[in-house]
Amino acid sequence: MQSFSPGSLPAIEALADNFCLFDHWFCEVPSSTDPNRLYMHAATSIGNARNVFKQQFPNTQTIYNHIEQAGLTWATYDFDLNEVRTQFPGTHTNPQNFRRFEPRFANDVANNQLPNYSFIFPRFFNNNGAQSDQHAPRDLRPGDRLIAQVYNTLRSNINLWNQTALIVTYDEHGGFFDHVPPPSDGVNNPDGINAKPVQSTHLFTPAFDFKRLGPRVPALLASPLVKKGIVVSERFQHTSILATVKKLFGLSDFLTARDRQANTFEHLFNDLTAPRTDTPQQLPEVAIGPVMHALDAVTPSDPGDLPLDDIQQEMLMGVLEITQPSNPTPDAIPATQAGASRFVQQRLDSHFGPRAS
């Protein structure tokens, strides 16, 4: 295990120094990527305690449905993959809700067209840019640079920035040890669905009743409406975002029992009488040389030529399964990062319709 010296990841370091750092923020499931990401959108993983990228949940309500029902606007911004687009077909009421990060995000900010609620996905494959999801053991610098780009874009429109909150967090803990145990007190099963034990070729997932949170994950809140350099040790979790959004936007109901019991952080916006004027105008964008991957003996000159790791293969096969009804089975499955990126974007645009540019 290694750690980063000061200045190695300057954007997230600057957010911690200038805004709010949560040191007891927990993911929702002591498990992998997809269940925790499902909680981020729907306050449940619909009984799944392992990655299920190939499944869709057409009858599950999401925070996006509730925002839309309240007459408010929302959008997701992505580079390639987007589980809201692939796994929640009930959100597909308006193609303008699904947007390419480049160039749409910067244009929306500049033109005062940023929706009331936005969710930004990182780049999951190296292709015309470095993979930025910071999934271990990939290089973390591209993700830090994306954080800086998002902040700098928001900060460039001061009127919009003065009424904006940027939340940066991670779906799960990456498998690293933490001395703080995942809490179980006051944790409700969101919808009464338990995870059944699953045995696959490479993995056994035990039964789980969803009455315990997952381990701690990094989380930061950047806004001119919060104090500088504060550390908040109150317990929060991913569904705290959904519960806080419900309060701020006056939504009519919670999604599940999980966001109903989650602590909210809207009180952090009440400590100041006016937006701060000392927030950094620009966060540093870390210099990126050759993209590193801890598991590759030799890193190719083009990161797009890297092979897929296990989770990328799961994501790729999930897209293949979901888009099968409208796309023929390909003769060959791409084995490189760039090939997989092009493959999933083509199939998703063909199946769901193109994203808004």
Side-chain angles (χ1 to χ4, degrees):
M1 184 181 293
Q2 296 178 333
S3 58
F4 293 89
S5 59
S8 299
L9 300 172
I12 200 165
E13 183 178 332
L15 291 185
D17 288 342
N18 287 279
F19 298 101
C20 172
L21 170 67
F22 299 97
D23 67 358
H24 275 73
W25 187 293
F26 296 86
C27 62
E28 296 285 344
V29 187
S31 180
S32 50
T33 294
D34 198 34
N36 282 295
R37 299 185 76 87
L38 296 177
Y39 265 91
M40 187 73 82
H41 308 301
T44 177
S45 60
I46 312 93
N48 292 289
R50 58 180 296 169
N51 291 336
V52 286
F53 295 112
K54 66 180 180 181
Q55 290 189 24
Q56 290 188 304
F57 308 102
N59 299 318
T60 299
Q61 285 282 292
T62 67
I63 189 64
Y64 312 101
N65 298 114
H66 280 203
I67 287 172
E68 197 167 284
Q69 290 159 13
L72 302 171
T73 57
W74 65 271
T76 63
Y77 296 85
D78 65 54
F79 295 88
D80 39 45
L81 288 177
N82 174 338
E83 69 270 3
V84 177
R85 191 181 185 206
T86 58
Q87 295 189 273
F88 295 108
T91 61
H92 294 189
T93 58
N94 183 350
Q96 283 294 319
N97 292 332
F98 300 97
R99 305 176 182 181
R100 294 178 181 270
F101 180 80
E102 296 173 332
R104 187 61 186 268
F105 180 70
N107 290 341
D108 285 349
V109 170
N111 296 320
N112 294 305
Q113 294 178 343
L114 193 69
N116 297 118
Y117 184 78
S118 301
F119 195 97
I120 298 173
F121 292 84
R123 192 189 305 270
F124 289 101
F125 300 96
N126 289 297
N127 182 38
N128 297 324
Q131 177 187 356
S132 56
D133 65 339
Q134 297 189 320
H135 198 281
R138 296 292 180 182
D139 194 326
L140 298 191
R141 292 173 298 171
D144 194 74
R145 191 168 196 172
L146 174 61
I147 292 168
Q149 290 170 342
V150 171
Y151 175 92
N152 294 342
T153 300
L154 292 171
R155 184 63 175 79
S156 67
N157 183 333
I158 190 62
N159 291 328
L160 184 145
W161 170 243
N162 281 340
Q163 50 187 323
T164 295
L166 169 65
I167 301 167
V168 179
T169 191
Y170 295 78
D171 48 43
E172 41 92 0
H173 68 301
F176 299 111
F177 171 80
D178 186 7
H179 69 282
V180 177
S184 59
D185 57 299
V187 179
N188 299 319
N189 181 304
D191 45 19
I193 307 174
N194 293 337
K196 298 178 180 179
V198 178
Q199 176 69 64
S200 65
T201 305
H202 304 293
L203 179 69
F204 173 71
T205 305
F208 187 59
D209 62 4
F210 298 97
K211 293 182 179 179
R212 177 181 294 277
L213 296 179
R216 292 190 301 174
V217 294
L220 300 117
L221 170 62
S223 173
L225 304 172
V226 299
K227 290 182 177 180
K228 178 178 180 178
I230 58 174
V231 177
V232 177
S233 297
E234 184 182 353
R235 190 176 95 187
F236 293 104
Q237 58 202 72
H238 290 335
T239 49
S240 292
I241 298 175
L242 309 184
T244 301
V245 166
K246 179 198 177 303
K247 286 191 173 182
L248 291 175
F249 288 167
L251 304 184
S252 60
D253 201 2
F254 293 98
L255 289 162
T256 71
R258 186 62 71 88
D259 59 326
R260 186 181 298 276
Q261 59 85 204
N263 290 328
T264 61
F265 51 85
E266 77 284 351
H267 59 278
L268 297 175
F269 302 119
N270 298 329
D271 293 334
L272 301 175
T273 58
R276 286 166 48 198
T277 59
D278 62 344
T279 59
Q281 292 193 8
Q282 289 270 311
L283 296 190
E285 295 186 16
V286 62
I288 301 176
V291 174
M292 306 299 292
H293 180 6
L295 299 185
D296 294 323
V298 178
T299 301
S301 57
D302 183 354
D305 293 333
L306 284 168
L308 304 177
D309 60 26
D310 290 345
I311 192 169
Q312 289 173 326
Q313 290 176 351
E314 284 189 85
M315 291 174 169
L316 175 65
M317 297 311 293
V319 169
L320 179 65
E321 180 88 8
I322 285 173
T323 59
Q324 194 70 34
S326 63
N327 287 269
T329 302
D331 295 330
I333 305 298
T336 66
Q337 301 259 329
S341 175
R342 291 190 293 267
F343 178 85
V344 301
Q345 291 186 74
Q346 182 276 321
R347 288 185 74 91
L348 292 176
D349 285 350
S350 173
H351 185 78
F352 294 112
R355 290 162 291 168
S357 297

